[in-house]
Amino acid sequence: MTNEFPQVLTIAGSDSDGSAGMQADLHTFFIRKTYGMSVLVAAVAGNSYGIHAAETLPLAFIDQQFEVLADDFKIKASKTGMLSDAALIGTVVKAYQTYDFGPLVVDPVITTKHGAQLLENEAFKALKQQLLPLATVATPNFFEAQLLTGRTIQSEADQASAARDIQALGVKNIIVKGWHHQDDQQEVADYVLLADGSDFWLRHSYFDTTHINGTGDTLSATIAAEIAKGQSVANAIRTAHDVTTAAIASEIAVGHQFGPINHWAAQSVN
Ligand code: PXL
């Protein structure tokens, strides 16, 4: 048997409620017909009301997970999720530089979708100075783009400028996700800046739903999966936008408050 089936890796935390983090990544790898692997770095006790506790795994054990995967598999692309302290980011950076895990998609998890900061200062610096320069693609949300650049984003021109500033950190390709600024806003615009300087906008309807857990994970996981299958970065990002939008568009009844997006609804995206 050859070892050629598209294999893709998430370096992420487990979210016990299955809506985000590693679980959302693995659901996504599955619907994109890739074989998903996972280096578990942390675990949170979460439910639809929020995250109640979090633990990081021992760094030596994280190292060992990387080592055994590198010994056996042919991973064609990887992604990172929530990496909440500087030592953990250092461990991931070192492993990524040691082994060949393909192009890296960095979901720079710094804030929740509502702008609340999740990362302490040293980790923020390590993310910006050590991890992002390794990224083939970074997928900041609107708030993360503001924090990474020190800019206030008030217009599409500001959003594009923020992407250029993030590219200057060493990231090759960037999607800066948009935000619905007013309650009555019907459309959200994501800005894509590619390594060659070309750019485009991806626009989608705003869905007024509380079931959006896992949105960022699903977007970045789809990009990694599509790159692992040999797609161009631009096409991977377009597919990821379609998958994520389809998964938000149709709710499933799980949990009492902030529920998951619906990966089954995205299975028909080509
Ligand atoms: O969606 C961001 C995210 C990533 N990783 C873990 C999470 C969350 C959000 O809840 O719990 C483990």
Side-chain angles (χ1 to χ4, degrees):
M1 270 299 226
T2 61
N3 198 5
E4 298 303 323
F5 193 87
Q7 298 158 40
V8 56
L9 172 67
T10 177
I11 304 161
S14 161
D15 189 341
S16 57
D17 79 0
S19 71
M22 176 169 287
Q23 286 82 355
D25 292 339
L26 293 174
H27 292 153
T28 305
F29 294 157
F30 182 82
I31 64 165
R32 296 316 299 165
K33 299 187 170 62
T34 53
Y35 186 81
M37 299 187 201
S38 47
V39 167
L40 182 69
V41 299
V44 307
N47 60 18
S48 75
Y49 297 108
I51 293 176
H52 304 271
E55 295 285 349
T56 300
L57 266 74
L59 299 182
F61 180 69
I62 295 170
D63 266 339
Q64 202 173 0
Q65 294 178 70
F66 283 118
E67 188 186 333
V68 300
L69 293 184
D71 274 350
D72 194 0
F73 301 108
K74 211 181 262 183
I75 291 165
K76 293 284 179 53
S78 336
K79 66 150 284 188
T80 57
M82 191 169 81
L83 301 174
S84 50
D85 73 65
L88 178 54
I89 293 173
T91 298
V92 170
V93 165
K94 186 155 162 278
Y96 193 77
Q97 288 168 332
T98 305
Y99 306 112
D100 178 8
F101 292 132
L104 182 65
V105 180
V106 174
D107 181 9
V109 181
I110 305 168
T111 69
T112 66
K113 235 173 270 46
H114 308 284
Q117 184 148 351
L118 294 168
L119 228 57
E120 37 99 1
N121 226 12
E122 282 306 302
F124 177 72
K125 263 195 346 219
L127 171 71
K128 193 168 163 178
Q129 294 170 3
Q130 296 174 43
L131 187 62
L132 279 172
L134 302 178
T136 292
V137 186
T139 62
N141 68 26
F142 173 86
F143 296 107
E144 289 157 349
Q146 293 195 125
L147 287 167
L148 286 168
T149 61
R151 283 179 183 274
T152 305
I153 301 175
Q154 284 172 324
S155 64
E156 292 194 350
D158 293 342
Q159 200 173 334
S161 300
R164 280 192 291 277
D165 287 358
I166 294 167
Q167 200 174 49
L169 298 172
V171 178
K172 293 187 184 67
N173 307 274
I174 299 122
I175 172 167
V176 175
K177 292 174 268 180
W179 179 246
H180 70 288
H181 295 265
Q182 291 98 32
D183 285 343
D184 60 351
Q185 191 172 326
Q186 296 301 307
E187 187 186 78
V188 179
D190 299 339
Y191 177 71
V192 180
L193 176 62
L194 299 177
D196 65 4
S198 61
D199 63 353
F200 55 91
W201 289 88
L202 294 170
R203 297 176 192 277
H204 54 271
S205 305
Y206 172 68
F207 297 100
D208 189 12
T209 169
T210 52
H211 285 220
I212 54 169
N213 286 2
T215 306
D217 313 80
T218 298
L219 183 90
S220 52
T222 305
I223 296 171
E226 296 308 302
I227 291 174
K229 291 191 292 193
Q231 290 288 339
S232 68
V233 167
N235 284 343
I237 292 173
R238 289 183 195 282
T239 301
H241 180 263
D242 291 348
V243 164
T244 309
T245 307
I248 299 173
S250 132
E251 284 191 8
I252 43 174
V254 173
H256 289 90
Q257 198 169 13
F258 299 111
I261 59 172
N262 178 353
H263 289 97
W264 289 298
Q267 280 192 108
S268 55
V269 173
N270 279 323

